[in-house]
Amino acid sequence: PEAMWAARVLGKPLISAEAFTHASVRHMNLRHDGPRGGLVLREDPSKMWRTTPALLRGLSNAHFARGVNRIQIHSFSYSPPGVPDPGWRMYAEIHLNRNVSWWPELEGYARWTARNQLVLQAGVPVADALVYPVEPNPIEPPFNVRDDQPWSAMNAVDGAHADLLSRLVDGRGAASYPVHRVVLRDDIPTLAEAEDLLALLRAGIPVWCGHTLPGEWTGLQGSDEEVARVRAELERAAEDGRLIDARGQGWRGVVEAERSVGWPEGALLSFQHRRVGEAHVYFVASWEKPFTGEVTFPHDTLAPERWDADSGQPKPLKGRSVEGGRTALALELG
């Protein structure tokens, strides 16, 4: 997930990933590959030639839902004329060459992917929350097994380590990308990090303390003048409601309770949020099973459209209602 976090926080427009390597050999699908990872690799050589555009599309949705916005398909095998069917194949299947039966259908998949990526690269990402601090994955696998930090940019949740935190406010004191809140999941060990958080508060971004309050931070235990100044300003932020005591909720509780897009309990959805000019774009995906129900969005003055990535055209939305500053839409997701 570091690629998603760093790109979004630093304003890099492309988040690219090599995709589909070994997908058909292991016959992965969304049922095995839910939003928190949980990969169960099922070796089944009989599935080797059963990849379909539907499987590619499902896996692509999984990438998009995690924050990737440029897929690099791995890989097409060259099979010259005269090579017997099914042609040459790569060790890193899936098998993509002109001999597979669904080769003529690949153009439709490619157009659908390109349209999705055009939208997911447009404008700027909007984060529900930035969780701090996070830790990078180890150099060697297994990856994504830590349960004490956000798993990816899913549900518009980013993460930052100390270097990224120091870049979130520009030289004019403005936040460098749209984020609704910073949520602290651990101790703040240095004065420099406390000052970076103070800069975010000055830029108008609330800080939720899900682990400890500033008086307990290791970085603010000294008695020198600078520490006293930072501690006093943080105390004032707490008094006026910009620094929030969320120890009773914990960082996960804050992130879930303050999620901008709402859906019924028991549904397994995720979303990405981007702002393009005056418009807001949401990519919403369902994991493991189809979804039919009401999804709410934090807008009440904007006219919603459902955009069809197969045709590139908007479609009318039925079952819209507006209440309490939010718009509810009846959605059906595969």
Side-chain angles (χ1 to χ4, degrees):
E2 296 99 308
M4 272 81 83
W5 296 336
R8 291 156 62 95
V9 168
L10 298 178
K12 305 296 183 182
L14 300 180
I15 306 171
S16 190
E18 174 190 294
F20 310 147
T21 307
H22 299 295
S24 60
V25 167
R26 294 186 167 92
H27 197 54
M28 290 184 292
N29 58 46
L30 295 186
R31 185 167 56 84
H32 305 143
D33 188 10
R36 280 200 59 83
L39 277 173
V40 177
L41 301 181
R42 298 188 173 185
E43 294 283 1
D44 187 350
S46 70
K47 302 292 195 297
M48 187 178 293
W49 294 98
R50 298 187 191 180
T51 305
T52 65
L55 178 62
L56 301 187
R57 183 160 162 149
L59 292 171
S60 300
N61 266 323
H63 286 306
F64 296 148
R66 292 189 176 108
V68 172
N69 64 15
R70 184 172 70 176
I71 289 173
Q72 300 185 77
I73 299 176
H74 188 309
S75 283
F76 293 84
S77 59
Y78 167 64
S79 290
V83 175
D85 290 344
W88 291 349
R89 65 183 184 87
M90 284 194 63
Y91 73 95
E93 37 253 318
I94 57 175
H95 304 308
L96 287 168
N97 65 39
R98 63 190 180 190
N99 296 314
V100 297
S101 60
W102 43 268
W103 179 256
E105 309 303 323
L106 200 61
E107 182 179 359
Y109 162 78
R111 289 182 181 277
W112 171 87
T113 304
R115 289 191 178 109
N116 274 307
Q117 293 180 166
L118 182 70
V119 170
L120 293 172
Q121 293 169 16
V124 294
V126 180
D128 265 17
L130 179 80
V131 177
Y132 184 82
V134 297
E135 298 180 28
N137 272 322
I139 295 173
E140 298 294 335
F143 306 120
N144 300 328
V145 295
R146 298 180 61 98
D147 197 38
D148 60 348
Q149 60 184 17
W151 182 76
S152 76
M154 195 168 296
N155 291 349
V157 177
D158 291 327
H161 51 62
D163 181 58
L164 288 178
L165 187 73
S166 68
R167 305 184 190 204
L168 285 173
V169 175
D170 62 26
R172 297 169 296 175
S176 59
Y177 87 126
V179 58
H180 292 160
R181 61 191 58 81
V182 172
V183 183
L184 304 182
R185 56 163 283 273
D186 210 339
D187 179 38
I188 304 302
T190 68
L191 176 61
E193 290 167 271
E195 289 182 307
D196 289 336
L197 291 168
L198 193 54
L200 287 165
L201 286 164
R202 293 179 188 137
I205 299 172
V207 173
W208 295 62
C209 300
H211 182 67
T212 55
L213 296 178
E216 305 167 276
W217 294 352
T218 303
L220 295 180
Q221 295 309 303
S223 57
D224 60 78
E225 186 175 325
E226 185 65 12
V227 168
R229 180 190 63 79
V230 171
R231 189 187 295 125
E233 192 165 347
L234 288 169
E235 288 173 357
R236 288 195 293 273
E239 291 170 0
D240 61 26
R242 292 176 294 135
L243 188 143
I244 299 152
D245 182 358
R247 291 174 297 176
Q249 293 174 271
W251 72 265
R252 289 188 194 83
V254 172
V255 167
E256 182 63 21
E258 302 297 324
R259 192 179 67 221
S260 60
V261 177
W263 50 76
E265 186 175 354
L268 201 56
L269 306 187
S270 65
F271 70 95
Q272 296 292 321
H273 178 193
R274 302 188 72 85
R275 192 180 67 214
V276 184
E278 297 300 314
H280 290 263
V281 174
Y282 292 89
F283 178 93
V284 185
S286 178
W287 297 87
E288 298 186 0
K289 57 186 179 181
F291 169 82
T292 299
E294 193 173 80
V295 179
T296 66
F297 299 86
H299 311 283
D300 59 358
T301 60
L302 301 178
E305 292 180 334
R306 179 167 182 164
W307 183 69
D308 180 8
D310 285 306
S311 67
Q313 299 297 320
K315 287 186 172 181
L317 274 164
K318 300 177 181 178
R320 172 195 178 193
S321 62
V322 179
E323 184 178 352
R326 298 182 64 85
T327 294
L329 302 173
L331 296 184
E332 293 184 6
L333 302 173

